[in-house]
Amino acid sequence: VSTQSTWGHLSVKGRAGVAYDPNGVVFAVSSAFNMVRLYDNRKMDMGPFATFCGQGNPNLDILHLKFSPDGKHILCSTNENYLFLLDSFTGDQVQKYTDHTNERSTSLEPCFTADGQFVASGSEDGCIYMWHTLTGRLATVKKGHVGSVNAVRFNPVYCMAVSCCFNLVFWAPPEA
């Protein structure tokens, strides 16, 4: 960014997470108390056009947000053993993912695969967990770290991923 001036400012309670939709028109903001607010980038000063409450514990902090590649869902990670998927139009909880470990409220940043068919998250046990996005069925668990896996990212073009804790681990299918 080559500017020193700001365009806008939003105040939130607690620690905030933010994500843009794939078209760059809508952005989602999370805050304490299990809330996600959607804003139109062009009308931010009018406040959120939608507010969604996650289900379960009302005191959950939603730490990270990710829109699915098609923009239909928002993946939310929390300060507990709980990731969930919201319908980005209705706010309904579509799925939850709870197989990973997050007992110390670690900031775990999950992601979608490039095609949106899977959700992946790191875990405090040093593993990466992958679930089928819509069914929530655990697809695989990959071990490759000695510490908590803080983030996972899939390459948008090639069949590979990277995860990190104290080191980076690059994942690719075996060569034929």
Side-chain angles (χ1 to χ4, degrees), residues 25-80:
V25 175
V26 172
F27 66 96
V29 177
S30 67
S31 61
F33 312 117
N34 207 359
M35 303 287 282
V36 175
R37 292 176 175 85
L38 299 183
Y39 294 84
D40 184 318
N41 196 45
R42 301 158 298 187
K43 301 175 187 174
M44 180 179 95
D45 57 331
M46 296 179 70
F49 66 84
T51 300
F52 305 141
C53 296
Q55 296 186 3
N57 180 354
N59 295 319
L60 276 178
D61 284 341
I62 299 172
L63 304 177
H64 298 283
L65 300 169
K66 296 283 184 258
F67 275 91
S68 60
D70 63 8
K72 293 180 180 178
H73 298 101
I74 303 170
L75 178 60
C76 304
S77 71
T78 71
N79 58 331
E80 294 185 3

Side-chain angles (χ1 to χ4, degrees), residues 15 61-66 75-83 99-111 120-127 129 131 147-153 164-165:
R15 185 174 167 181
D61 284 341
I62 299 172
L63 304 177
H64 298 283
L65 300 169
K66 296 283 184 258
L75 178 60
C76 304
S77 71
T78 71
N79 58 331
E80 294 185 3
N81 258 20
Y82 189 65
L83 307 173
D99 299 287
H100 66 297
T101 303
N102 191 10
E103 301 298 327
R104 297 185 306 261
S105 297
T106 302
S107 178
L108 303 175
E109 195 168 351
C111 69
S121 177
S123 179
E124 288 179 344
D125 62 6
C127 295
Y129 289 76
W131 299 269
S148 294
V149 182
N150 300 340
V152 181
R153 290 292 177 274
C164 63
C165 66

Side-chain angles (χ1 to χ4, degrees), residues 78-146:
T78 71
N79 58 331
E80 294 185 3
N81 258 20
Y82 189 65
L83 307 173
F84 60 95
L85 190 69
L86 294 177
D87 181 296
S88 62
F89 296 96
T90 65
D92 294 335
Q93 184 173 309
V94 176
Q95 197 51 260
K96 64 181 177 181
Y97 315 97
T98 59
D99 299 287
H100 66 297
T101 303
N102 191 10
E103 301 298 327
R104 297 185 306 261
S105 297
T106 302
S107 178
L108 303 175
E109 195 168 351
C111 69
F112 289 96
T113 54
D115 63 3
Q117 297 298 306
F118 295 90
V119 165
S121 177
S123 179
E124 288 179 344
D125 62 6
C127 295
I128 296 170
Y129 289 76
M130 287 184 64
W131 299 269
H132 293 271
T133 300
L134 295 179
T135 67
R137 187 173 53 86
L138 186 64
T140 189
V141 178
K142 299 290 185 186
K143 180 76 174 154
H145 288 276
V146 294

